Amino acid sequence: MSEVTRSLLQRWGASFRRGADFDSWGQLVEAIDEYQILARHLQKEAQAQHNNSEFTEEQKKTIGKIATCLELRSAALQSTQSQEEFKLEDLKKLEPILKNILTYNKEFPFDVQPVPLRRILAPGEEENLEFEEDEEEGGAGAGSPDSFPARVPGTLLPRLPSEPEMTLLTIRIEKIGLKDAGQCIDPYITVSVKDLNGIDLTPVQDTPVASRKEDTYVHFNVDIELQKHVEKLTKGAAIFFEFKHYKPKKRFTSTKCFAFMEMDEIKPGPIVIELYKKPTDFKRKKLQLLTKKPLYLHLHQTLHKE
């Protein structure tokens, strides 16, 4: 075993243990992030075409299956259904297989298949590409952007039915100020509502790709209907806006920056909110402003009450 492969297996193992530890401690957001990050790295290795890999085709298939199981566990943690879930004890059976992948020759314990490499990164993944230093330095990867399916343009949801004495919120995303606005490819914004632990309180929505780019602004002019009555939001909740764009050289969609609005900022009329550096900090504990320049996310709020 070469030193490169030994180091790779050690890092995979450490990532696997971190995810399983978070999982067992009930830190679900962190577990999901770790599982999805590791799954992508395993998927990439399983589909690598380079000749200097020490892994055989059969071992790559096993690596791909482990990635699928990580995705299944991640999905189970995000699901409200209890049946047919992929359990933590099932996942833990895979740690020795991953550790001993070069000598493992038994039948894989679960009936799964490798899944295609995902184009959209898991939260915070771009800051955790410790397995891909060569690509971070601009090395060319195999394949082309055309090898990925196009992103579905927008997943916006309709307004909820009104209820007596309850308030619904429509947020119009007008524009975002960025110094390199004109260079952003296929930009869109992901909108989510999180509690203090970073857990989703409503379905996540994606805007369509921006309508136009002009000077230092990317314009959206699109309405987001909050999928919960304002009175039913938990104390400390916040509405997050993640600005994402496509990076053709690295062949993935990445988060560039994010903004958020807290409950005391829900008021009718226009509002501008500050932009923060990635990775998105849903717990709002380590916030760093994106820039000192007067560049913001411009919104307009409308409250609807029966």
Side-chain angles (χ1 to χ4, degrees):
M1 185 192 310
S2 71
E3 193 57 42
V4 171
T5 301
R6 187 189 308 277
S7 175
L8 185 65
L9 292 178
Q10 287 174 347
R11 284 179 290 186
W12 284 352
S15 178
F16 190 102
R17 286 189 295 277
R18 278 196 302 272
D21 284 345
F22 284 137
D23 198 343
S24 63
W25 298 334
Q27 293 179 239
L28 304 189
V29 174
E30 292 85 351
I32 290 166
D33 286 357
E34 197 69 49
Y35 288 152
Q36 291 182 345
I37 290 166
L38 179 57
R40 181 176 183 276
H41 292 306
L42 296 182
Q43 288 163 0
K44 183 175 179 182
E45 185 61 44
Q47 296 169 42
Q49 301 298 316
H50 51 76
N51 296 323
N52 58 349
S53 173
E54 287 193 42
F55 302 114
T56 65
E57 289 306 309
E58 197 59 36
Q59 288 163 354
K60 286 181 180 180
K61 188 179 291 187
T62 300
I63 290 170
K65 288 181 178 181
I66 293 173
T68 299
C69 292
L70 288 163
E71 295 275 15
L72 289 172
R73 180 58 188 161
S74 176
L77 292 178
Q78 298 175 75
S79 172
T80 56
Q81 306 296 320
S82 57
Q83 67 271 27
E84 300 301 321
E85 284 187 355
F86 196 86
K87 296 180 170 53
L88 176 58
E89 53 263 37
D90 294 331
L91 191 71
K92 285 183 175 179
K93 295 174 185 175
L94 304 178
E95 186 176 3
I97 298 176
L98 185 60
K99 180 180 179 181
N100 302 300
I101 190 67
L102 292 177
T103 55
Y104 183 78
N105 57 8
K106 298 178 183 176
E107 187 174 344
F108 197 75
F110 304 105
D111 183 18
V112 297
Q113 294 301 319
V115 295
L117 183 65
R118 291 178 300 117
R119 173 181 138 187
I120 298 177
L121 295 188
E125 181 173 355
E126 191 171 324
E127 286 64 48
N128 291 281
L129 294 181
E130 64 265 36
F131 311 140
E132 299 181 20
E133 292 91 348
D134 56 335
E135 276 203 18
E136 283 296 315
E137 295 303 318
S144 70
D146 295 335
S147 63
F148 294 98
R151 194 184 70 83
V152 175
T155 55
L156 299 184
L157 298 168
R159 188 180 307 168
L160 294 177
S162 59
E163 291 184 18
E165 303 303 315
M166 288 290 175
T167 307
L168 289 168
L169 172 63
T170 301
I171 302 173
R172 185 167 189 80
I173 301 177
E174 295 180 341
K175 60 185 179 180
I176 186 171
L178 297 165
K179 63 180 181 180
D180 56 350
Q183 298 173 28
C184 297
I185 299 174
D186 291 345
Y188 67 99
I189 291 178
T190 296
V191 182
S192 58
V193 184
K194 310 277 188 182
D195 67 10
L196 279 170
N197 294 315
I199 303 298
D200 283 313
L201 298 176
T202 68
V204 177
Q205 302 183 64
D206 285 344
T207 71
V209 168
S211 56
R212 63 190 172 96
K213 293 173 277 189
E214 180 183 58
D215 299 327
T216 54
Y217 288 103
V218 178
H219 293 262
F220 288 91
N221 294 313
V222 64
D223 288 340
I224 307 294
E225 302 292 348
L226 196 73
Q227 297 296 299
K228 209 176 190 77
H229 293 89
V230 174
E231 291 82 359
K232 295 180 181 178
L233 293 172
T234 56
K235 185 179 179 181
I239 304 167
F240 282 83
F241 305 85
E242 298 174 271
F243 180 84
K244 300 179 179 181
H245 63 131
Y246 182 61
K247 290 188 171 181
K249 286 186 179 178
K250 296 181 181 177
R251 301 177 291 116
F252 56 66
T253 295
S254 167
T255 300
K256 183 176 182 66
C257 60
F258 73 99
F260 63 89
M261 193 173 74
E262 297 184 318
M263 295 300 97
D264 60 357
E265 295 175 289
I266 296 180
K267 298 168 185 172
I271 181 175
V272 294
I273 55 178
E274 294 177 314
L275 304 175
Y276 295 95
K277 291 181 179 179
K278 61 186 180 182
T280 308
D281 182 9
F282 292 124
K283 295 185 178 180
R284 293 163 268 161
K285 291 183 177 179
K286 297 178 181 178
L287 299 170
Q288 280 188 288
L289 286 173
L290 179 68
T291 176
K292 294 179 180 178
K293 298 180 185 295
L295 299 172
Y296 306 97
L297 178 62
H298 296 248
L299 309 170
H300 190 282
Q301 302 181 79
T302 304
L303 297 174
H304 314 271
K305 192 166 185 175
E306 284 287 298

